[in-house]
């Protein structure tokens, strides 16, 4: 179950690119990878790409658990992070919409789901340089993870 994570501190951005089967254990592994990153600080905005996901093994209880992980990643921050999910298929969009709804309840984050990647970047307010860096790093790391 390959994935790629990273942090662009200068853009106050963390990111994850998932592929293949999305499970709660995979999401937990990504969470650990991010919070152990040397540049991690609470409250970073978050870009989640579900573009390469082919199957989802999540139900409502598991998505609720993911909400708790996201909430813990923001503890100690003075601001609510913006979280955007790039979900280009009906399958990923439906699950992402459930996650978005849970995040927007109770001041966990400001979350939005888009089926268009450029809308994700615009909503986060990313510069062209930040987008280029994100795509280059994220997609290269994901490709490497898929071949390892």
């Amino acid at each position: 179950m390959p994935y790629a994570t990273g942090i662009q501190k200068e853009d106050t951005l963390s990111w994850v690119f998932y592929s293949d089967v999305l499970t709660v254990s995979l999401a937990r592994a990504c969470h650990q990878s991010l919070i152990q990153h040397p540049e991690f600080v609470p409250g970073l905005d978050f870009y989640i790409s579900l573009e390469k996901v082919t199957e989802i093994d999540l139900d409502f209880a598991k998505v609720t658990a993911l909400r708790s992980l996201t909430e813990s990643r923001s503890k100690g921050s003075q601001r609510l992070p913006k979280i955007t999910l790039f979900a280009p298929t009906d399958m990923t969009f439906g699950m992402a919409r459930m996650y978005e709804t849970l995040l927007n309840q109770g001041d966990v984050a400001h979350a939005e789901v888009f089926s268009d990647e450029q809308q994700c970047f615009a909503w986060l307010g990313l510069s062209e340089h930040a987008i280029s860096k994100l795509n280059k790093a994220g997609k290269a790391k994901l490709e490497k993870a898929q071949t390892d």
Side-chain angles (χ1 to χ4, degrees):
M1 295 183 285
Y3 65 89
T5 62
I7 292 178
Q8 291 174 211
K9 192 171 182 179
E10 66 280 5
D11 301 309
T12 64
L13 181 69
S14 58
W15 47 262
V16 62
F17 287 75
Y18 290 110
S19 74
D20 301 337
V21 181
L22 179 56
T23 65
V24 73
S25 60
L26 179 62
R28 283 189 177 118
C30 290
H31 170 77
Q32 286 299 330
S33 175
L34 286 170
I35 64 171
Q36 293 173 354
H37 192 285
E39 294 186 333
F40 175 79
V41 293
L44 290 170
D45 291 336
F46 196 22
Y47 170 78
I48 302 169
S49 175
L50 303 174
E51 180 179 20
K52 301 289 184 184
V53 170
T54 57
E55 185 180 335
I56 297 175
D57 182 19
L58 296 172
D59 57 21
F60 183 76
K62 292 174 183 176
V63 174
T64 302
L66 296 181
R67 178 198 182 274
S68 297
L69 284 179
T70 303
E71 186 173 19
S72 71
R73 202 169 38 244
S74 300
K75 284 195 174 153
S77 175
Q78 300 298 328
R79 64 186 279 280
L80 288 179
K82 290 175 80 173
I83 299 175
T84 188
L85 295 97
F86 173 42
T89 67
D90 289 344
M91 173 191 62
T92 57
F93 196 88
M95 186 283 307
R97 190 61 93 181
M98 184 181 358
Y99 181 58
E100 171 199 46
T101 300
L102 290 170
L103 288 176
N104 285 329
Q105 296 172 349
D107 293 331
V108 173
H110 301 292
E112 289 288 332
V113 178
F114 299 98
S115 58
D116 178 277
E117 191 174 41
Q118 293 307 311
Q119 288 180 309
C120 290
F121 300 146
W123 189 76
L124 285 171
L126 296 177
S127 68
E128 288 297 321
H129 175 72
I131 294 167
S132 174
K133 201 162 114 177
L134 165 69
N135 275 322
K136 183 177 180 183
K139 291 177 181 177
K141 282 180 83 173
L142 182 60
E143 187 174 308
K144 183 178 181 330
Q146 289 173 315
T147 58
D148 285 347

